[in-house]
Amino acid sequence: MSTASAARTAPARQIWPLYAAGFTTAFGAHGIAVSLGGPAAGAVTSLLVLGGLLALYDGAEVLLKPLFGTLADRIGARPVLLGGLIAFAAASALYVVADSPGWLWAARLGQGAAASAFSPSASALVARLNPASTRGRTFGSYGFHKSIGYTLGPLLGGVLVRATGLRPLFAVLAVLGVAVAVWAALAVPVLPPLPNARQTVLDLARRLADPAFLAPTSALAAATAALSVEVGFLPVSGRAAGLGTVATGAAVSVLAVCAAAGQPRAGRALDHGRLTTRTGIATGLPLATAGLGCAMLSRLTGVLLGAALIGAGTGLITPLVFAALAASTPTERPGQAIGAAEHGRELGDAGGPLLVATVASLTTLTHGCTALGALLALGTVLAVVRRRPVGG
């Protein structure tokens, strides 16, 4: 996914608004998710409804990210980025104006649809504005700043929601969306759309079924599922352990800090040949699986250790997967590649909470997490088995 337009690293003033866009979607996703099941006004008490709300944001991204990624390739990523940020602000403002359970569902759906536009567009612009030789470090840095949103969202969101409820948090997100859109409009350069090579639906299906795409994307989905479940259901397990909204927000921030710290290092190690994608996946998935096991202990120590392990596993896998997909994608389709990678991540983000919520509604939350842990363990086995024939 290299491009001739990126002969050297772009100046920081052009890249920072793109990092801010990544921060925005992460802050919005987890800042609200960690508060939905807490004790605040407007919080959700049903595990099945909570799972549905957690999946709604990501479910919209699952359906729309590949479409917006392809649109970014055709008309340019910058207009899709700006339009998505403005739509995100409008969806956030919707719940501020109309405070009711039905409008909460509508606002989360709108936020997810908008994020599916600006998130892959920001990633594609980061890739186009930087040379291919720094691909691992580029995605690691983008992931780092996105993880800052995952860190501050639960922490600041928990404080704000505990004091005033959900509506002020949506108001903050509306202001943030507008601010980043203005910043990006002023600083991000206009890049011409890439040549649009003809591609049939069959061509796309074959590429998505290619093991070079399917294996890393499945690993990303599995790790993200663990992360999403830890974030969304932590308020429930936290209440059982006697933890409040601020404490659970801090625990999720531990998860995000661990994910943020690992991504730039993993990206640099990939660029310098010290780490391969397969080795990273075979290491990261067991870390996330162990983290789920610790989180089920429903004690502060288990919650914190589980958050740290899941964050470390996700932080190791994420930049390696994006770099691997970028390397295997035609140069004229960076937006489609990023959209497809993000598609896998959102499948995990939406599928993990739905799986756990469904099992938990019939049994207990511990059984739901056990079911997801079993799937992650299976993914680890498949990654190790696939690695052996090619010698790592």
Side-chain angles (χ1 to χ4, degrees), residues 172-264:
V172 169
L173 292 174
V175 173
L176 180 61
V178 171
V180 176
V182 172
W183 188 11
L186 295 174
V188 176
V190 177
L191 298 179
L194 292 169
N196 185 22
R198 187 166 179 260
Q199 175 182 245
T200 67
V201 174
L202 183 59
D203 292 333
L204 177 60
R206 285 173 178 168
R207 189 159 63 80
L208 297 184
D210 189 330
F213 170 85
L214 195 58
T217 304
S218 298
L220 181 62
T224 306
L227 184 146
S228 182
V229 165
E230 177 75 358
V231 170
F233 289 96
L234 185 58
V236 178
S237 59
R239 281 202 305 267
L243 304 178
T245 304
V246 176
T248 54
V252 174
S253 294
V254 169
L255 182 155
V257 166
C258 292
Q263 291 196 50

Side-chain angles (χ1 to χ4, degrees), residues 215 218-219 222 281-282 285-286 289 372-386:
S218 298
I281 290 173
L285 283 180
T289 305
L372 179 60
L375 288 179
L376 264 68
L378 177 61
T380 302
V381 171
L382 293 176
V384 172
V385 169
R386 181 176 177 267

Side-chain angles (χ1 to χ4, degrees), residues 9-392:
T9 302
R13 60 181 176 79
Q14 296 179 358
I15 300 298
W16 278 102
L18 304 176
Y19 291 161
F23 171 91
T24 299
T25 183
F27 187 92
H30 284 192
I32 293 176
V34 78
S35 303
L36 287 173
V44 181
T45 55
S46 165
L47 286 176
L48 196 57
V49 173
L50 176 59
L53 273 171
L54 292 173
L56 189 64
Y57 185 100
D58 304 301
E61 294 190 279
V62 166
L63 295 175
L64 297 175
K65 271 188 175 178
L67 297 178
F68 281 117
T70 301
L71 180 64
D73 289 338
R74 291 189 175 182
I75 69 172
R78 187 175 180 273
V80 179
L81 170 76
L82 299 178
L85 286 167
I86 295 299
F88 182 86
S92 301
L94 179 65
Y95 184 66
V96 179
V97 176
D99 179 14
S100 70
W103 287 111
L104 176 60
W105 285 79
R108 286 301 276 172
L109 179 62
Q111 286 179 329
S116 69
F118 74 79
S119 181
S121 298
S123 301
L125 284 166
V126 168
R128 286 195 66 188
L129 289 170
N130 290 278
S133 59
T134 62
R135 184 176 290 127
R137 185 175 62 189
T138 295
F139 284 113
S141 296
Y142 179 77
F144 171 82
H145 289 88
K146 196 167 186 177
S147 293
I148 297 300
Y150 289 135
T151 303
L152 294 181
L155 188 58
L156 298 182
V159 173
L160 188 61
V161 168
R162 181 179 182 181
T164 56
L166 285 172
R167 291 176 70 188
L169 179 55
F170 277 86
V172 169
L173 292 174
V175 173
L176 180 61
V178 171
V180 176
V182 172
W183 188 11
L186 295 174
V188 176
V190 177
L191 298 179
L194 292 169
N196 185 22
R198 187 166 179 260
Q199 175 182 245
T200 67
V201 174
L202 183 59
D203 292 333
L204 177 60
R206 285 173 178 168
R207 189 159 63 80
L208 297 184
D210 189 330
F213 170 85
L214 195 58
T217 304
S218 298
L220 181 62
T224 306
L227 184 146
S228 182
V229 165
E230 177 75 358
V231 170
F233 289 96
L234 185 58
V236 178
S237 59
R239 281 202 305 267
L243 304 178
T245 304
V246 176
T248 54
V252 174
S253 294
V254 169
L255 182 155
V257 166
C258 292
Q263 291 196 50
R265 293 183 179 183
R268 285 194 297 268
L270 179 68
D271 287 340
H272 296 148
R274 299 193 303 269
L275 182 66
T276 67
T277 303
R278 292 181 182 180
T279 300
I281 290 173
T283 304
L285 283 180
L287 288 174
T289 305
L292 274 178
C294 292
M296 287 187 288
L297 297 177
S298 293
R299 293 193 177 102
L300 180 59
T301 302
V303 167
L304 292 176
L305 182 58
L309 289 173
I310 292 173
T314 306
L316 177 60
I317 289 173
T318 301
L320 305 183
V321 169
F322 276 94
L325 294 176
S328 63
T329 300
T331 58
E332 69 273 9
R333 300 188 185 278
Q336 190 179 88
I338 296 298
E342 295 274 9
H343 183 265
R345 174 152 58 187
E346 304 312 333
L347 279 174
D349 245 341
L354 278 179
L355 171 65
V356 171
T358 301
V359 176
S361 66
L362 300 174
T363 54
T364 66
L365 183 57
T366 298
H367 286 90
C369 291
T370 301
L372 179 60
L375 288 179
L376 264 68
L378 177 61
T380 302
V381 171
L382 293 176
V384 172
V385 169
R386 181 176 177 267
R387 183 176 170 227
R388 284 176 181 167
V390 294

